[in-house]
Each structure stands twice: as C-alpha cells, then as structure tokens.
Amino acid sequence: MSQFGPDYIRAIAPYQAGKPIAETAREYGLDEASIVKLASNENPFGVPESAKAAMAAAAAELGRYPDANGFELKAALAKRYDVPAEWITLGNGSNDILEIAARAFVQAGQSVLYAQYSFAVYALAAQGIGARGIVVPARDHGHDLDAMLAAIEDDTRLVFIANPNNPTGTFIPAAEIAAFLAKVPAHVVVVLDEAYNEYLDAQDQFESSQWVRSYPNLVVSRTFSKAYGLAGLRVGFAIAQPAATDLMNRVRQPFNVNSLAQAAAIAALNDKAFLEQGAANNRAGYAQLTAAFDELKLQYVPSHGNFVLVKVGEDDGAGARVNVALLKQGVIVRPVGAYGLPQWLRISIGLPQENAAFIAALKKALA
Ligand SMILES: Cc1ncc(COP(=O)(O)O)c(C=O)c1O
C-alpha cells in the first residue's frame, strides 16, 4: 500500500456504483441483451428523442470548448425555476455540485452533517477535503431533522439533506424542511439535494427554488440524470443566492459541463411529454413491485423516488446472497450493505417487463 497522500484520503472507501451490464455478462456467462439492470436509478426509457436531436446538432461544434458559463442552459433553467440566471451553478452531474459545495463552504478539520442511510457521496465529499463527517441516526429510515439540528456543532459548515432520500426513498414534507431552515444557524450552508424531485406526486411538490430567496445559506441541487434520462451525459445544477453561487463558481472546473450535455439538457427540460411518460411508468412500476413484495411478505420502505428498498431476509448475509442469486439470473439490483443495510436490496423501477423479470427472479432466489 502506498504511503502517498493525506491520511484522510487513504481512509476513503471508494463509491460502489451499480454493476455494469457488460461486466455482469462477462462474469456470469450471460448474453448482454438478456440482462435487466435495475441498479442505478436510471430512467428506463433512456435518452429522450428531443435530447438526441439536440446532441446531433451540437456535435458539429465538438472541436470547440463548451460554453464555460452555460449561458443558454442557465437561461432555460432560470426561466423554468423563476430565478435569476446568476443564481445557477452547473455541475458535471449533481454529484459535482455536492463536491463543489464541500470545497466552497468547508475547510479541512471542520464538520459536515448528514443522515445515516443517506446518499453515500455526502460522506465522500466531506472526506475528500479532510472534513469530519457527523452522521445523524435515521428515524424510520429517513432524516430526523430535529436530531440533525441538535447535532450541529460549532465547526459545522455544511448540512446535506436528500429529499427524497437515496437509498431509502423517504420524503420530508415542505413544512418540516421550512421549519428546519428557519432554525439552522446562518453560517451553516444547507444543500437540499432533490435528485428525485420530478418523481414526487403533485401534492408533495414544493418550490424549494423560491425558498432560496429567503435563505442565503440554502443551495438547492437537482439533476438531469434521473427523470430526464441523461445519466450518462452528467448534468446537474444548483440554485442559490449570489454569495453562495460566487463561491461555488470559484472552485468548479471551468468546463465542467460538456457541450452535448448542455444542448441535451435544454431539450430535455422542455420535453414535458417525456417527464409525464416517466412519471406514469414510475407510478405503475411502484405498484407492480410493491404488490409483489406484499405477496412475498417482504418488508419495504414506502418510496417517493424511482426505486424501492426491500428487505430480503433477516440475517446480515441476506442482501449479498439474494443479490448473487439475482445476478446469476441476469438481474442487476443494488446491494446496500455499504450503507449499513445488509438485509436489504434497492431496486430501481424499470419498464413493466423489466420489473416482471426481476419479480420472477426474486421468487426463484427466495425459494
Ligand atoms: C440523492 C442523490 N443525489 C445525487 C445523485 C447524483 O446523481 P448525478 O451525479 O447523476 O446527478 C444521486 C445519484 O444516484 C442521488 O441518489
């Protein structure tokens, strides 16, 4: 083991991504075309046609650098979210936004707060800058905002909240987030990570982008990877007041969002039909999966995202064991042992036939 680099970097356990289809085919001797991947909360409809056309048009200019300030995409986002374009930071995926926030608002030795069972990248973003992560125990698999408020220390500079949360799918209603924001000290930045916002039912939706007007320490983070079907392109964005946006702009890479991604995101943002189709499929898929879990008497966490966390056994080997049994049948899901949930698996909601293939494979795996 090399002794290069700081201790806090050597202490990092690398992010475990969903297993790629090609790798699974190689390892299990399967035909790639037969594999069902429900492991990375991707959009089962893939890239919207509108975005494909926009990318084809943008491809001719790939010899040039992308617009470093993302003028057109920011203008489209500003219009959509009714905020000034100067309040927007683009990211190479919203993962980039999370890391940019850590670098912009926290220095080594200070603390970053997040919930148990919340998105793995919060810990990584903190560790990557030598900050101390404070993990607040979850309540019913979700954020316990009262406990998070109480856990803020003198040196805490950043709080990450995932709403809905990944990998558990839990959701915090608007009123609870508002009450939390009203009590957080003004020098502590709150990143409200809404990667799955577009999957929320209409009655749960709220305009967090407008809350930014009241809270200079609020950063709202969104992505084009999920409902917009552009995970492979890597586009996310943050909305925050100018003081916070200015700091984030200082630490981001100058060309962090490529030209194809900028063009595709503008097209996808305006593709209402694609979003509606995805939301309808997600609702139907959630009903399909949870009906099967009920039939199999498996506990699951009610989800507000495009995935469901399901308990597949009582022993700590259950998640890994059932995962391998599914892989052998060509179904890739996400084990969550690294999240401290070794009895559970996270299943992304796919097309009806993909969900059905998973359910059939699960029944065999559990038999
Ligand atoms: C809660 C949450 N935030 C952020 C991300 C990052 O996604 P991306 O970098 O593709 O925008 C994910 C991806 O799974 C997520 O689940």
Side-chain angles (χ1 to χ4, degrees), residues 60-108:
E61 289 301 315
L62 278 177
R64 300 195 183 282
Y65 281 100
D67 177 352
N69 286 315
F71 178 85
E72 287 183 28
L73 176 53
K74 283 188 190 173
L77 289 167
K79 189 164 170 232
R80 165 72 182 75
Y81 290 102
D82 191 21
V83 291
E86 299 70 40
W87 291 25
I88 296 169
T89 306
L90 300 182
N92 187 1
S94 61
N95 197 113
D96 194 23
I97 295 293
L98 306 175
E99 289 189 8
I100 288 173
R103 288 205 303 281
F105 305 121
V106 190
Q107 69 185 44

Side-chain angles (χ1 to χ4, degrees), residues 15 40-41 92-96 98 119 121-122 162-167 193-196 221-226 231 234-236 307 334 346:
Y15 181 79
S40 301
N41 301 344
N92 187 1
S94 61
N95 197 113
D96 194 23
L98 306 175
F119 187 40
V121 167
Y122 306 153
N163 200 37
N165 183 43
N166 172 24
D193 174 357
E194 299 185 322
Y196 301 95
S221 174
R222 297 280 188 97
T223 185
F224 282 91
S225 297
K226 311 294 178 185
R234 317 302 301 128
V235 204
F307 54 89
R334 183 70 73 92
R346 191 196 68 192

Side-chain angles (χ1 to χ4, degrees), residues 272-286:
K272 277 211 175 107
F274 185 80
L275 271 192
E276 278 163 18
Q277 177 192 30
N281 180 75
N282 202 60
R283 274 192 298 277
Y286 182 74

